[in-house]
């Protein structure tokens, strides 16, 4: 399991969130070498419909092992205090040799996902990447496959829901990938289908896709 999070001793057990594809664990992927020229990979289409999670785990921080001043503490007596008052309380606690307790710890997420990519010589791959983040810092950009962009559409007609669209794609450095793997057996026909549909909202500019639809 990952150990790149700060205060790792305060992390509880890692558990599966339930989003990973049981049919495609990492152990089933067949690694292949990079065969391109320039060490860049490009999404084969702007849509993320071929994105697959191979791991989607989470672990909660144990509040008892955190101080209220730790970044991983999301709720404490300091949380709703004005900044100046909170600083005075922290300074007073340090003078008295006390620790201000944390009431609720954050949640850490560890994701491994893949999507489909091409190089400058037309070779196709499943590019595997990893994302790690804290729930309190989670944004719309998390869980987005490398090389893709997703934006919220303004003036959405859907109440209490995010109306998002797939934006431009961009080149990804080869060293950002954990590994390159063979395509799934169903990937090639789906790539062709999605590329055809993408022509309604995007145009191909070299190896990237540029959004041309309504925002």
């Amino acid at each position: 399991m990952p150990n790149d999070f700060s205060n790792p001793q305060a992390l509880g057990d890692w558990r599966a969130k339930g989003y990973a594809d049981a049919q495609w664990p990492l152990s089933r992927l067949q690694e292949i070498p990079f065969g391109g020229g320039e060490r860049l990979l490009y999404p084969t289409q702007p849509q993320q419909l071929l994105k697959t999670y191979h791991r989607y785990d989470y672990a909660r921080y144990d509040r008892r092992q955190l101080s209220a001043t730790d970044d991983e503490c999301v709720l404490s007596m300091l949380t709703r205090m004005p900044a100046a008052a909170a600083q005075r309380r922290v300074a007073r606690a340090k003078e008295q040799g006390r620790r201000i307790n944390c009431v609720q710890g954050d949640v850490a997420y560890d994701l491994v996902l893949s999507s489909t990519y091409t190089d400058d010589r037309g070779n196709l791959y499943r590019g595997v990447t990893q994302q790690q983040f804290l729930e309190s810092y989670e944004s719309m950009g998390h869980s987005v496959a490398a090389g893709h962009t997703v934006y919220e559409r303004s003036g959405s007609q859907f109440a209490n829901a995010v109306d998002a669209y797939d934006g431009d794609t961009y080149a990804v450095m080869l060293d950002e990938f954990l590994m390159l793997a063979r395509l799934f057996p169903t990937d090639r026909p789906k790539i062709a289908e999605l590329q055809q549909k993408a022509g309604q909202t995007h145009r191909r500019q070299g190896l990237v896709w540029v959004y041309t639809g309504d925002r």
Side-chain angles (χ1 to χ4, degrees), residues 66-87:
L66 294 175
S67 167
T69 56
D70 288 330
D71 289 340
E72 298 78 24
C73 180
V74 294
L75 182 63
S76 72
M77 65 181 298
L78 304 176
T79 305
R80 296 182 179 177
M81 280 187 176
Q87 290 173 0

Side-chain angles (χ1 to χ4, degrees), residues 166-177:
D166 299 303
D168 300 348
T169 64
Y170 58 91
V172 185
M173 295 292 295
L174 185 61
D175 59 9
E176 293 187 33
F177 293 90

Side-chain angles (χ1 to χ4, degrees), residues 172-189:
V172 185
M173 295 292 295
L174 185 61
D175 59 9
E176 293 187 33
F177 293 90
L178 295 179
M179 65 177 287
L180 302 181
R182 293 188 185 279
L183 296 182
F184 298 164
T186 57
D187 278 342
R188 286 184 185 274

